[in-house]
């Protein structure tokens, strides 16, 4: 995985659990060679992550399918002490 600052559009995620705003400017983005259209977006404040699908790189990507198929990205994040913002259908 590598840290990426690829001009991701600025957006904000509101994290009610810690009453904080997670700005894409203050987060880290990680990508893996095996899933170039997916990235792990990490909030440095509360140590949570989410997976984002970049449709610019793969316009036919299916977020639910890719979420389940890319379990190694979640394992990678978990090994670094990150918690997932929301679990998927399999509870991962």
């Amino acid at each position: 995985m590598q840290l990426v600052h690829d001009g991701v559009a600025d957006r904000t995620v509101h994290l009610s659990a810690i009453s904080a705003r997670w700005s894409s400017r203050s987060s880290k983005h990680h990508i893996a060679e095996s899933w170039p259209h997916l990235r792990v977006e990490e909030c440095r404040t509360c140590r949570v992550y989410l997976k984002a699908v970049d449709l610019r790189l793969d316009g036919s990507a299916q977020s639910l399918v890719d979420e389940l198929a890319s379990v190694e990205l979640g394992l990678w994040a978990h090994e670094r002490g990150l918690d997932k913002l929301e679990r998927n259908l399999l509870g991962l």
Side-chain angles (χ1 to χ4, degrees), residues 8 25 32 36 53 57-59 65 68 77 79 82-83 87 89:
V8 174
R25 291 184 199 169
V53 178
L57 299 176
D58 184 351
V65 173
L68 297 174
E79 289 173 355
L82 301 173
D83 292 317
R87 296 183 183 269
L89 291 175

Side-chain angles (χ1 to χ4, degrees), residues 47-64:
R47 304 292 297 159
V48 300
Y49 76 94
L50 58 84
K51 289 182 196 174
V53 178
D54 191 339
L55 294 174
R56 297 173 300 175
L57 299 176
D58 184 351
S60 64
Q62 299 292 317
S63 59
L64 180 58

Side-chain angles (χ1 to χ4, degrees), residues 65-79:
V65 173
D66 288 344
E67 160 65 26
L68 297 174
S70 64
V71 70
E72 74 268 13
L73 296 180
L75 293 173
W76 177 88
H78 181 74
E79 289 173 355

Side-chain angles (χ1 to χ4, degrees), residues 1 11-13 18 25 35 39 41 44-45 50-51 55 63 68-69 72-73 76 92:
M1 297 283 262
R11 64 183 182 280
T12 302
V13 176
I18 62 167
R25 291 184 199 169
W35 298 95
R39 65 181 171 267
E41 297 187 1
R44 291 181 270 180
T45 303
L50 58 84
K51 289 182 196 174
L55 294 174
S63 59
L68 297 174
E72 74 268 13
L73 296 180
W76 177 88
L92 303 172

